[in-house]
Amino acid sequence: MCWSATADLWAGLGIGAVGVASLASVRRPGDAPLAALPLLLGAHQVVEAGVWHADGGTGPATLAWAVIALPLLPLWVPLGVLSAARPADRPRLLVPLAAGLATAAFLAYRLAARPVSAEIRGHTLGYAVDLPYAPVVLAGYLLATVGALLLARDPLLRVLGLLTGAGALVCAFLWRTAFVSTWCALAALASLLLLAWVRGRPRSPRADPSPADRNPMASQ
């Protein structure tokens, strides 16, 4: 979240533009889900601008914000990391994916069963949803998102995991003290790191050549 509707709108448009550039830079089909993550983050900011304009409440913009933040992100991130990983690295990434599936299913159920509301608190927006077992859900959420990035082999994705974990703590502290929110700045920085990651990825390796291709004389 940002500190005003205008900030959310412009941050969302900027982050979305980074997402377009990321998708245009994809060289491997498996990288597309993570490359598209800035588009999702940008849409999230634009949706929140609608929450500001509606003065919070329980309207469609609030629900859309909650759907992206709660069930969608803990599923999207581990799936994206798994999709981009080498086959040999995928077994260890099944743990955060399982955590993401369970967390997303529980959060989707809670959103369907109970309304989520938003309230303007100075320079921040506060969201309220009836969420039992909150510490367990938070642990599953962090394992799915931050954990998946930290378990990735790619150094830049691990840096993104460290940044996301540390940034989330800072943003949570500033939000709880009713100070200005900096989550949009974290989303922008994460999107730029993903753009750098996509552009640094090699092209998909060619299939292993057949014995005849390796030794043309073998087919003569």
Side-chain angles (χ1 to χ4, degrees):
M1 67 183 74
C2 285
W3 53 90
S4 69
T6 301
D8 259 318
L9 179 60
W10 284 109
L13 293 176
I15 294 169
V18 173
V20 172
S22 295
L23 278 176
S25 303
V26 167
R27 297 187 177 99
R28 295 169 173 245
D31 294 346
L34 276 184
L37 183 56
L39 277 177
L40 181 64
L41 296 177
H44 201 213
Q45 300 293 153
V46 172
V47 165
E48 189 169 68
V51 179
W52 281 101
H53 281 297
D55 291 326
T58 59
T62 299
L63 179 59
W65 186 95
V67 168
I68 295 173
L70 299 181
L72 189 52
L73 275 176
L75 189 57
W76 190 300
V77 174
L79 277 174
V81 174
L82 183 69
S83 175
R86 300 186 308 177
D89 297 329
R90 288 174 180 168
R92 64 180 177 179
L93 296 172
L94 294 178
V95 174
L97 177 58
L101 285 168
T103 302
F106 180 77
L107 290 173
Y109 168 74
R110 296 307 300 180
L111 288 180
R114 295 285 190 276
V116 58
S117 62
E119 177 187 4
I120 296 177
R121 302 172 182 172
H123 294 291
T124 64
L125 276 169
Y127 294 89
V129 60
D130 183 15
L131 196 62
Y133 316 111
V136 176
V137 176
L138 178 61
Y141 194 103
L142 293 176
L143 177 57
T145 52
V146 178
L149 292 167
L150 292 177
L151 287 174
R153 180 177 294 274
D154 190 283
L156 201 52
L157 290 183
R158 291 202 296 268
V159 170
L160 179 58
L162 290 172
L163 171 71
T164 303
L169 290 175
V170 172
C171 292
F173 172 76
L174 292 175
W175 177 79
R176 285 184 178 276
T177 56
F179 197 63
V180 65
S181 175
T182 56
W183 179 257
C184 55
L186 177 61
L189 184 54
S191 298
L192 290 173
L193 279 175
L194 283 170
L195 176 60
W197 170 76
V198 171
R199 290 184 169 176
R201 295 278 283 171
R203 295 187 181 275
S204 297
R206 296 179 180 178
D208 292 337
S210 65
D213 292 333
R214 289 195 297 265
N215 182 11
M217 297 300 295
S219 60
Q220 297 180 359

